[in-house]
Amino acid sequence: MMEHIIKLLPELNVAFFETLIMVGIALLFAVIIGLPLGVILFITDRGLFLENKWVKQVVGIIINLIRSVPFIILLVFLLPVTSLLLGTTIGPMAASVSLSVAAIPFYARIVESAAREIDKGVIEAAVAAGASPWMIIRHIVLPEAKPGLITGLTITAISLIGYSAMAGTIGGGGIGDLAIRYGYYRYDDTVMFTTVILLIVIVQLVQYMGDFIAKTVDKK
Amino acid sequence: MIELREITKEYGKKDKIVAVDNVSLRVEKGEIYGIVGYSGAGKSTLLRFINALERPTKGSVHVDGIDLLSLSNKALRKARQSIGMIFQGFYLVASKTVYDNVAFALLAAGVSKKHIEEKVDHLLNVVDLADQKRKYPSQLSGGQKQRVSIARALANDPKVLLCDEATSALDPNTTKSILSLLRNINKKLGITIVIITHEMEVVKEICHRCAVMREGRVVESGTTFDIFSNPKDELTKTFIQNVLEFHLPDSLIDQVQGKLVKLMFLRDLATDSVVSDMLQRFKVKGNILHGKVEYIQETPLGVFIMDVSGEEAEVNQAISYLEKRVNSVEVINDGTHYQALA
Ligand SMILES: Nc1ncnc2c1ncn2[C@@H]1O[C@H](COP(=O)(O)OP(=O)(O)O)[C@@H](O)[C@H]1O
Ligand SMILES: [Mg+2]
């Protein structure tokens, strides 16, 4: 059995990095696009400093729309888009397109709810001090929500690891794909077992790191 | 300095709540103005007009000659920098140190990095927190937190400081020290202060003038001394009572032999001579059961309760003599039914 695993190592290694790329790219987009969207959802809310019913509703509806589509359907639905963007629908880069589309609204909602935990009075004190919206976002909202934003990123990462297995099966590669190809189609229990263990270890590690960082930055 | 004209604020569409009902208010430059009232009277709403955190349904708001309601967003932000505000809940940024909490207000006003450092150090000295500057709010006591928020409110050299129940979350000793800090700020920096509170003690301690609010309206206003010595509205009287309260134990009341008289001395305390003069002129016995002197804005206000006994005619004459000599005499009990004592 050990021999079997050692023989598998190069492939496992490749799969590991494929997963890393898929999840990493999707997380990057979650932060670049999902974070601002979440902040917009928060600051345009009633009684807040950029209250705007229209913006809030339009962004909210788009996010809900994407979130209500099951990932596996989103995956298929986005194949033409992926092909248009990258010229291919195969490989971890291609899979990261649909993963990103799923991760952005997911993280945006988490950002919104993390920001809502901030005491409204703290924001009001900043408004009363004559601070601009950008100043308040940068110096109050983001720092105050930081532990929640990090915890949210952990949750997003772990969900993405799960999704990446699905994305892997339709040509994305990665650990999940490996597990299904060997374990499911070829009845290779050892590979199946090894990959599942690997996934468990990765998820635990991500969770542990996320909790640790969130705790370190929390000054409450 | 501050002028609110015929301000009304309504909330809700169907079930309209009138939070502030046609209030006009003027606060002069350099004064400490108090607004008292029970919870829900509309005090916070009124205060929040002064920095336009709240916009009235009707009426106008002028601070230092500027019509706040006509300003663009940018100009309003600029105007707010010269109107500091502190709150009951302190509202410090938990993820920032004491230093950074204060620095934020300066950063928001576009002050350069170099000047920020100097200024924050100076402000922390003013509020007596220089040694706490690297701490986080969670490591501070309530009084220290309020000091940080005062430093933050003073950061941009405001002309006006608004205090929303700033001492309501603090214990009596800390309240005293925060109030004396505010008094110093008013005296040394000439900052106009508006304080809202439900505690008459706070008004008594530091306010030059005050207004009493009920159900969105100002029911009475005037100098603090006038309000204390001569309250007109029932609500005002209730508030005053909390400060000038007296409770005579039942056992003492049982021993009352004559008439129970409440004397009030304003501004000077010639109690001894008035009482001894009375005792010499009339054949009555006088027994002081209770005495209290409050200093309102450094002016004494004394309240004494006396048991005046003797022959009825003499007692009545003695009392009319007292009426001529002191500011107010009230026969709270004529000797027949003692239980009606407040
Ligand atoms: N944003 C709001 N929406 C609806 N009603 C409000 C709002 N703010 C205050 N009120 C109402 O206005 C009244 C006055 O409130 P407030 O000014 O906070 O009183 P106070 O500070 O004297 O306790 C209360 O009845 C309160 O419920
Ligand atoms: Mg209030």
Side-chain angles (χ1 to χ4, degrees):
Chain A
M1 186 174 129
M2 215 46 220
E3 243 172 77
H4 194 60
I5 293 176
I6 286 167
K7 225 171 64 195
L8 197 73
L9 267 181
E11 220 171 333
L12 212 55
N13 202 26
V14 170
F16 177 75
F17 278 104
E18 282 172 347
T19 297
L20 213 64
I21 287 170
M22 284 190 278
V23 174
I25 289 176
L27 272 183
L28 193 70
F29 278 100
V31 172
I32 295 175
I33 303 173
L35 179 67
L37 285 179
V39 170
I40 288 172
L41 280 175
F42 174 66
I43 60 176
T44 55
D45 204 1
R46 252 191 70 141
L48 274 151
F49 54 96
L50 286 181
E51 177 174 344
N52 189 322
K53 229 187 198 158
W54 269 98
V55 173
K56 167 115 189 151
Q57 287 214 331
V58 169
V59 175
I61 287 171
I62 293 172
I63 283 177
N64 288 346
L65 221 71
I66 300 174
R67 290 205 58 198
S68 54
V69 180
F71 182 67
I72 192 86
I73 293 170
L74 195 68
L75 204 58
V76 178
F77 186 75
L78 285 173
L79 282 178
V81 179
T82 310
S83 147
L84 201 76
L85 280 174
L86 300 171
T88 174
T89 58
I90 305 292
M93 292 297 272
S96 66
V97 173
S98 53
L99 280 173
S100 300
V101 171
I104 289 166
F106 186 81
Y107 191 53
R109 281 295 183 205
I110 291 178
V111 170
E112 183 196 9
S113 70
R116 279 193 193 184
E117 293 291 308
I118 304 170
D119 190 335
K120 294 282 179 303
V122 175
I123 292 169
E124 191 162 274
V127 174
S132 65
W134 169 241
M135 276 295 206
I136 300 174
I137 293 168
R138 198 182 138 203
H139 290 281
I140 312 283
V141 176
L142 293 180
E144 285 292 273
K146 211 194 235 165
L149 297 182
I150 290 167
T151 308
L153 210 56
T154 313
I155 296 170
T156 310
I158 290 172
S159 296
L160 283 173
I161 293 170
Y163 283 174
S164 77
M166 265 188 258
T169 54
I170 66 161
I175 302 169
D177 174 47
L178 194 69
I180 289 180
R181 263 192 294 133
Y182 282 81
Y184 188 66
Y185 296 129
R186 294 191 210 163
Y187 305 105
D188 186 336
D189 288 347
T190 317
V191 178
M192 178 87 139
F193 208 65
T194 315
T195 53
V196 168
I197 298 258
L198 189 59
L199 282 172
I200 291 171
V201 170
I202 292 174
V203 167
Q204 294 292 345
L205 219 65
V206 170
Q207 184 72 56
Y208 176 80
M209 266 169 36
D211 286 349
F212 179 78
I213 298 171
K215 216 172 179 176
T216 318
V217 300
D218 195 352
K219 302 291 180 197
K220 283 218 179 77
Chain B
M1 183 50 108
I2 299 167
E3 180 149 20
L4 305 182
R5 247 179 264 147
E6 291 169 14
I7 289 222
T8 296
K9 175 76 184 186
E10 293 165 354
Y11 285 112
K13 293 210 176 85
K14 263 203 194 130
D15 305 303
K16 245 194 275 179
I17 299 172
V18 184
V20 173
D21 190 359
N22 197 29
V23 168
S24 296
L25 194 78
R26 250 183 93 95
V27 179
E28 305 300 334
K29 192 169 169 20
E31 85 178 324
I32 306 184
Y33 197 93
I35 299 170
V36 223
Y38 288 124
S39 172
K43 307 179 299 290
S44 295
T45 310
L46 191 66
L47 191 76
R48 292 154 56 86
F49 291 141
I50 303 171
N51 59 1
L53 277 181
E54 206 77 68
R55 289 184 165 260
T57 318
K58 274 203 293 271
S60 70
V61 181
H62 288 81
V63 176
D64 200 21
I66 299 170
D67 176 3
L68 285 193
L69 302 177
S70 70
L71 297 179
S72 67
N73 284 341
K74 198 170 166 214
L76 179 59
R77 288 203 291 270
K78 188 89 194 135
R80 279 175 177 157
Q81 285 157 18
S82 52
I83 308 173
M85 189 171 196
I86 61 174
F87 309 82
Q88 176 174 5
F90 320 123
Y91 299 147
L92 299 176
V93 184
S95 55
K96 287 187 191 299
T97 59
V98 166
Y99 178 93
D100 286 329
N101 264 284
V102 180
F104 172 75
L106 293 157
L107 214 56
V111 178
S112 72
K113 271 259 153 59
K114 198 186 109 222
H115 286 103
I116 287 179
E117 207 171 319
E118 257 169 56
K119 184 86 197 200
V120 175
D121 285 340
H122 168 70
L123 288 161
L124 291 178
N125 269 322
V126 170
V127 299
D128 212 5
L129 277 181
D131 49 341
Q132 309 286 328
K133 86 183 201 186
R134 295 287 157 223
K135 289 212 172 137
Y136 285 92
S138 62
Q139 298 168 293
L140 303 178
S141 70
Q144 288 173 321
K145 283 183 197 163
Q146 196 58 287
R147 283 168 188 275
V148 178
S149 91
I150 290 172
R152 176 176 65 179
L154 296 180
N156 294 306
D157 304 316
K159 301 194 173 77
V160 174
L161 178 63
L162 309 176
C163 313
D164 189 340
E165 303 269 3
T167 57
S168 300
L170 306 173
D171 63 63
N173 279 333
T174 315
T175 295
K176 281 239 156 71
S177 82
I178 293 291
L179 290 179
S180 90
L181 174 61
L182 291 176
R183 195 188 296 119
N184 276 338
I185 287 166
N186 169 259
K187 259 194 198 143
K188 289 196 185 129
L189 309 175
I191 296 175
T192 307
I193 300 183
V194 182
I195 289 186
I196 67 174
T197 180
H198 61 267
E199 296 166 317
M200 210 62 194
E201 279 290 338
V202 171
V203 174
K204 191 200 87 186
E205 284 287 320
I206 65 168
C207 296
H208 304 127
R209 289 197 301 143
C210 65
V212 182
M213 269 189 99
R214 181 179 57 211
E215 289 165 9
R217 279 186 287 263
V218 170
V219 295
E220 191 166 357
S221 65
T223 68
T224 304
F225 191 79
D226 286 345
I227 292 279
F228 268 86
S229 56
N230 191 15
K232 301 228 159 56
D233 191 87
E234 275 312 309
L235 178 67
T236 316
K237 288 180 185 163
T238 319
F239 270 112
I240 305 294
Q241 246 173 34
N242 292 337
V243 177
L244 298 177
E245 191 176 26
F246 59 89
H247 271 298
L248 301 181
D250 288 346
S251 61
L252 208 63
I253 292 168
D254 288 343
Q255 292 164 21
V256 172
Q257 294 167 351
K259 287 190 179 183
L260 213 49
V261 180
K262 179 172 152 195
L263 311 177
M264 202 144 92
F265 293 83
L266 310 186
R267 296 190 176 86
D268 77 278
L269 286 173
T271 11
D272 286 357
S273 69
V274 173
V275 173
S276 61
D277 284 357
M278 177 197 79
L279 293 176
Q280 275 177 12
R281 279 171 188 239
F282 305 95
K283 287 172 90 177
V284 292
K285 281 208 285 188
N287 190 13
I288 291 183
L289 301 180
H290 180 93
K292 187 169 189 175
V293 180
E294 285 288 346
Y295 287 83
I296 293 152
Q297 297 301 299
E298 290 164 14
T299 312
L301 170 62
V303 178
F304 294 87
I305 310 255
M306 251 178 104
D307 172 10
V308 186
S309 59
E311 273 184 39
E312 181 149 8
E314 283 288 306
V315 168
N316 285 343
Q317 275 184 357
I319 289 174
S320 41
Y321 174 78
L322 284 176
E323 272 165 358
K324 280 183 211 125
R325 295 281 309 264
V326 306
N327 299 75
S328 137
V329 179
E330 192 184 332
V331 180
I332 50 178
N333 214 304
D334 63 6
T336 46
H337 38 73
Y338 295 121
Q339 58 276 21
L341 259 183

